[in-house]
Amino acid sequence: MAQGTDWLDWPGAIVRAVNRVFTVCGGALAVMILVVVLTDVFLRYVVNDPTTWGIDVASFGLSYLFFFALGPALESGFHVSVDFFQQYYSERVKRWASIVATLLAVVFAAVLFWELLDTTIDEFVENNLTPTAWPVPVKYVVIIGPIGAFQMLLTAVVMAIDAMRGIRAPLKPADAGFEA
C-alpha cells in the first residue's frame, strides 16, 4: 500500500467508481427517455399515429433512472437536507450530526434494499406480466430496485465510515457551484 493510505480507502474507491458508472447509465437513460417521449409526441400530434410502446418504455426507463441515481445522489449530497442551523453549530456538533445522519441513511437504505429485494424475489417466483401494450415480465422492470438500493446502502456505509473517521464530507450543492 502507498504511504498515507488506509485499508478502509479501497472499498470507498470502488463504491465511488460504481457510482460514476451508475451516473453515466442514468444520463444515457435520461437521453433515451427524452428521445422516446419526443418521438412519441411528434408521431402523436404531427403524424397522428402514436407509438403503442413509447410511454411504456419511458416509464420503465424512468424507473431504472431513479434507481441508478440513488447512490450517486447520496454520495454527492444532492439529496434533500436541512442545514439551516448548521452555521450555528460547533465543528464537534457538526461531526456528530454527520455521523448520526449517515447512520440513519444506512438504516433507511438497508430497509429499502430488503423490501425491494423481497418484492423482486416475489416477481421472479410469480413471473407476472406488465399490463402494457407489449407485456413484459415484471421481474425485468423491478430488478433494478434492489440493485440501486444496494448501491445506495454501500454508499451510505462508506459515508458513515468516512464520517466516523472524520474525512470526506459529502459535497454540498453550494460547494459544487450551485446556489439554491
Side-chain angles (χ1 to χ4, degrees):
M1 254 191 264
Q3 186 164 346
T5 61
D6 192 340
W7 68 272
L8 287 173
D9 292 338
W10 69 266
I14 292 170
V15 167
R16 285 186 280 281
V18 172
N19 279 340
R20 285 191 299 274
V21 170
F22 275 28
T23 300
V24 169
C25 291
L29 278 168
V31 171
M32 184 266 318
I33 292 167
L34 176 69
V35 168
V36 167
V37 170
L38 288 177
T39 300
D40 201 43
V41 166
F42 176 80
L43 292 174
R44 177 179 307 272
Y45 294 108
V46 175
V47 181
N48 202 22
D49 187 22
T51 65
T52 58
W53 50 267
I55 298 300
D56 298 336
V57 169
S59 297
F60 298 154
L62 189 58
S63 178
Y64 272 72
L65 173 63
F66 174 81
F67 286 108
F68 272 134
L70 287 178
L74 180 62
E75 178 188 5
S76 68
F78 284 98
H79 274 277
V80 174
S81 65
V82 178
D83 54 8
F84 181 73
F85 296 106
Q86 196 171 29
Q87 62 188 349
Y88 302 112
Y89 295 155
S90 68
E91 289 303 313
R92 181 179 171 154
V93 171
K94 287 179 188 178
R95 180 166 184 246
W96 278 105
S98 177
I99 291 169
V100 170
T102 55
L103 290 174
L104 288 172
V106 168
V107 170
F108 173 78
V111 171
L112 181 65
F113 170 69
W114 181 259
E115 291 299 323
L116 289 170
L117 182 64
D118 185 49
T119 300
T120 302
I121 290 170
D122 288 347
E123 288 304 331
F124 270 82
V125 169
E126 296 170 11
N127 209 24
N128 293 321
L129 296 175
T130 59
T132 56
W134 291 359
V136 175
V138 175
K139 62 186 172 189
Y140 298 129
V141 177
V142 299
I143 187 71
I144 190 62
I147 293 169
F150 186 68
Q151 182 61 22
M152 181 185 185
L153 175 59
L154 292 177
T155 301
V157 168
V158 165
M159 289 176 67
I161 291 170
D162 285 352
M164 286 183 238
R165 293 170 65 203
I167 60 171
R168 197 169 187 284
L171 181 66
K172 293 294 178 195
D175 299 336
F178 301 103
E179 293 297 327

